[in-house]
């Protein structure tokens, strides 16, 4: 599956932003999907993930209550709604497709979209 992420930008602390990830090629609906992020000088983290049928979701503790992951299999699109953004959310965000909720479980990656949150 090929993935194209979009929706990043420069926002102020407290603002909201929605990332999108459009899939094409192999069956999008069969994959667990995730959003991962990497800030400068830091390791890449799995921020959120969602099962193929939206039956289960995972969030890293630092975004719980602020971020919501969702997917529309008919549109082959993954979303990440980010509310109450904080400067520490600044990173390159990647969408990925795979089989589980570990970074090593993701086999297909989008190109990344930059999110910058100013204080």
């Amino acid at each position: 599956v090929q993935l194209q992420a979009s929706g990043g930008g420069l926002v102020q602390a407290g603002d909201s932003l929605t990332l999108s990830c459009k899939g094409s090629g192999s069956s999008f609906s069969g994959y667990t999907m995730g959003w991962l992020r990497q800030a400068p000088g830091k390791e890449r983290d799995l921020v959120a993930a969602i099962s193929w049928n939206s039956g289960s979701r995972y969030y890293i503790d630092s975004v719980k209550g602020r971020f919501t992951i969702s997917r529309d299999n008919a549109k082959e699109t993954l979303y990440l709604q980010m509310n109450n953004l904080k400067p520490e959310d600044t990173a390159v965000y990647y969408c990925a497709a795979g089989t589980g909720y570990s970074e090593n479980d993701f086999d297909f990656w989008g190109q990344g979209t930059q999110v910058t949150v100013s204080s």
Side-chain angles (χ1 to χ4, degrees):
V1 60
Q2 297 174 337
L3 303 171
Q4 180 77 30
S6 62
L10 172 63
V11 297
Q12 294 185 333
D15 285 351
S16 298
L17 203 60
T18 300
L19 305 183
S20 299
C21 175
K22 181 71 173 70
S24 62
S26 301
S27 177
F28 174 92
S29 62
Y31 290 104
T32 293
M33 297 297 298
W35 288 99
L36 301 93
R37 70 185 180 188
Q38 187 165 24
K42 295 187 177 181
E43 294 185 353
R44 186 162 54 192
D45 291 323
L46 177 61
V47 175
I50 187 168
S51 63
W52 69 275
N53 63 350
S54 302
S56 66
R57 291 172 173 85
Y58 162 86
Y59 296 98
I60 195 172
D61 285 347
S62 59
V63 308
K64 286 180 180 177
R66 300 189 298 121
F67 290 13
T68 302
I69 189 170
S70 62
R71 65 190 296 165
D72 185 334
N73 285 341
K75 295 181 178 180
E76 297 187 314
T77 304
L78 175 73
Y79 303 98
L80 185 67
Q81 172 68 43
M82 305 184 291
N83 297 327
N84 189 21
L85 282 160
K86 302 178 180 181
E88 51 264 41
D89 295 319
T90 295
V92 177
Y93 285 71
Y94 300 89
C95 60
T99 58
Y101 286 1
S102 169
E103 182 177 344
N104 293 332
D105 294 328
F106 291 100
D107 301 312
F108 304 96
W109 295 77
Q111 85 287 4
T113 184
Q114 176 72 46
V115 173
T116 303
V117 185
S118 64
S119 58

